[in-house]
Amino acid sequence: TFDFNVTLEQVPKEHHAQIQNLRLHIADMTAACNDPETAIDLYMALYESVDDLALEGVLLHNMAELHVRIDQPMVALDHYRLAIQCKQQSALMAARGENVQNPAGDAATNATSASVVTDGIIEWEKTASPELVKSLVGMGALQARMDQASEAMESWRHALLMARIVAGNDVAHDPQVLNLMQSIAALEKQQRMSKEEKKEGQ
């Protein structure tokens, strides 16, 4: 049996990647078996032991989805924001040829709680990736459910921009692009109807 509590310091360095992959697989399977609380604990244990920004982003995204499932939207929103920050930073560092390991500690310690979507620090076009699109889509969906229409619109518009870049020449037929366009159109319609109802009520 595999001891999930084993630390990377306890095994030879050449086996670190295998251990991390196995722990990630166990956490994924636990989440798939409808045990979100245990899966969150497993993801967090792995998150606290890694120093790779890209993997941190994946783990934070996975935990965000699980917090949505157990009706903890504010925690989920914070995790989505941190996941996006990790994925953006990782993409920029990779583009510059820098080491994507996080020497200053984990993102949850270093990141601010402010929305990384609106801070204007990172250029979205330079960080386009399917992983980042996935986190932006998830965060937008959660914001829409929380009646944060403006924030959801912003998240989905950023996601659409990136999805179009990722799709490349197939942008006209890309399912992610089409789904985002439909979601944005539906939210715009909802906002218009809400404004009209307010006018009628005055």
Side-chain angles (χ1 to χ4, degrees):
T1 59
F2 176 70
D3 182 3
F4 205 94
N5 294 316
V6 66
T7 63
L8 294 182
E9 290 75 16
Q10 295 174 287
V11 298
K13 191 171 183 178
E14 60 267 24
H15 298 309
H16 284 190
Q18 292 174 300
I19 294 295
Q20 287 180 349
N21 288 337
L22 182 56
R23 294 173 75 182
L24 179 59
H25 178 69
I26 293 172
D28 288 343
M29 292 301 295
T30 304
C33 291
N34 201 29
D35 188 358
E37 289 89 352
T38 301
I40 288 171
D41 291 340
L42 296 177
Y43 283 130
M44 181 57 72
L46 179 55
Y47 172 76
E48 291 173 346
S49 70
V50 301
D51 59 0
D52 181 281
L53 281 171
L55 181 54
E56 287 180 14
V58 171
L59 295 170
L60 286 161
H61 175 94
N62 292 350
M63 286 188 282
E65 290 187 331
L66 292 171
H67 281 294
V68 171
R69 282 169 57 182
I70 60 177
D71 198 24
Q72 294 179 341
M74 295 307 299
V75 178
L77 198 57
D78 285 342
H79 278 70
Y80 274 129
R81 286 171 174 162
L82 290 170
I84 290 166
Q85 186 178 60
C86 284
K87 292 176 180 182
Q88 284 183 306
Q89 290 176 341
S90 174
L92 280 179
M93 292 171 70
R96 295 171 185 153
E98 299 174 4
N99 191 338
V100 296
Q101 288 187 333
N102 185 2
D106 63 85
T109 301
N110 298 318
T112 65
S113 60
S115 171
V116 297
V117 175
T118 59
D119 62 16
I121 295 173
I122 296 176
E123 296 181 53
W124 291 92
E125 295 86 345
K126 294 182 179 179
T127 59
S129 71
E131 273 294 324
L132 194 44
V133 171
K134 183 167 69 171
S135 291
L136 284 164
V137 169
M139 185 166 74
L142 177 58
Q143 289 165 329
R145 284 176 53 187
M146 296 170 68
D147 293 324
Q148 298 179 3
S150 297
E151 291 84 351
M153 185 70 74
E154 187 170 19
S155 297
W156 281 341
R157 282 175 174 164
H158 283 302
L160 180 58
L161 169 66
M162 290 196 170
R164 283 172 168 158
I165 295 171
V166 171
N169 295 331
D170 196 39
V171 64
H173 306 288
D174 184 78
Q176 185 78 276
V177 171
L178 297 175
N179 288 337
L180 278 164
M181 290 176 67
Q182 291 175 355
S183 297
I184 291 170
L187 188 55
E188 288 175 338
K189 181 179 179 180
Q190 179 182 328
Q191 287 180 304
R192 287 195 302 269
M193 292 175 62
S194 179
K195 289 179 181 178
E196 290 172 1
E197 288 174 359
K198 287 181 180 178
K199 286 182 181 179
E200 292 175 358
Q202 291 178 351

